Amino acid sequence: MSFFEREYREIITKAVCGKGKKFIEATHTISPSHRPTSILGCWVINHIYNAKKKGDNVEVSGSYDINVWYSYNDNTKTEVVTERVNYCDHVPLVVKDENCINDEVEVVAKAIQQPNCLECKIAAQGQKIVVEVEREFVVDVIGETKLCVRVDPNGCDNDDFDYELSSDDFSAIETDFLPSSSSSSHHKD
């Protein structure tokens, strides 16, 4: 009995064949143009990234800007220093399906925690600023795989379905649940 006589079919489809997640904390040192007296604020903006599969990992590379607002000259003046940070994170694939048909895969990475400042402080020497940043990614590797499915030998009977609606079908739709404009009331607090 051949494969097709057993009423099975092989279907080639795209499916998730790898998953991973990684949380990263990074420390960056920023050199302002003046000796800082105190930190007034810190924020991370302009995050961009891309991802590609490298062996059993997904390499997420990107960059963001760290902006630190600080005072100097004994808290009499302020300034914002901006520094562009580049990074390359390796996210291990903890779920791996070895049944992908070929090596052509699509990688989808999502930052579930955008880069965010955890702590910003003046370094012990007093001239530099130390910023701790957190970020977290989840990744999916999507590739072509083969599924084996059992097929009904009688096929599908599409005659049981009527895909056309008549005007009588529309008249049976209940509309009483919609409030009329005269019965609605507006409250002012």
Side-chain angles (χ1 to χ4, degrees):
M1 185 179 282
S2 75
F3 179 79
F4 290 105
E5 291 176 67
R6 287 183 266 158
E7 300 161 5
Y8 286 90
R9 296 287 185 270
E10 287 183 324
I11 298 174
I12 295 176
T13 186
K14 287 190 173 188
V16 175
C17 55
K19 284 184 155 303
K21 182 178 180 180
K22 187 169 185 180
F23 176 79
I24 301 103
E25 286 187 10
T27 302
H28 307 290
T29 303
I30 297 174
S31 300
S33 53
H34 306 282
R35 185 178 185 89
T37 306
S38 60
I39 304 298
L40 304 172
C42 180
W43 58 98
V44 181
I45 60 172
N46 299 328
H47 182 220
I48 57 171
Y49 61 91
N50 60 49
K52 59 186 170 189
K53 186 173 183 292
K54 289 249 180 142
D56 289 340
N57 297 301
V58 168
E59 184 180 272
V60 180
S61 56
S63 64
Y64 47 82
D65 293 334
I66 299 176
N67 293 287
V68 179
W69 182 31
Y70 69 98
S71 68
Y72 63 97
N73 200 16
D74 289 327
N75 290 323
T76 59
K77 295 183 179 181
T78 67
E79 185 175 81
V80 174
V81 60
T82 300
E83 186 158 315
R84 176 66 123 189
V85 172
N86 296 304
Y87 66 88
C88 184
D89 297 329
H90 295 274
V91 181
L93 295 173
V94 293
V95 174
K96 289 180 276 190
D97 181 356
E98 303 298 335
N99 295 314
C100 280
I101 294 172
N102 55 42
D103 292 333
E104 293 177 25
V105 294
E106 177 186 349
V107 178
V108 178
K110 182 178 180 186
I112 57 174
Q113 171 62 62
Q114 289 287 341
N116 181 49
C117 176
L118 291 173
E119 186 177 11
C120 183
K121 60 186 178 186
I122 300 169
Q125 297 83 5
Q127 184 59 39
K128 297 183 186 286
I129 296 171
V130 177
V131 181
E132 289 182 31
V133 175
E134 65 177 352
R135 57 186 181 267
E136 186 172 15
F137 291 97
V138 292
V139 296
D140 288 331
V141 176
I142 301 166
E144 284 191 343
T145 189
K146 204 182 290 187
L147 300 176
C148 185
V149 296
R150 187 167 185 198
V151 179
D152 186 339
N154 300 321
C156 295
D157 187 6
N158 290 334
D159 295 337
D160 292 344
F161 300 104
D162 184 7
Y163 295 108
E164 295 183 28
L165 292 175
S166 67
S167 60
D168 293 337
D169 295 324
F170 291 110
S171 65
I173 297 173
E174 292 287 330
T175 58
D176 293 342
F177 63 89
L178 296 173
S180 65
S181 59
S182 60
S183 64
S184 63
S185 60
H186 300 285
H187 298 285
K188 289 188 176 180
D189 294 330

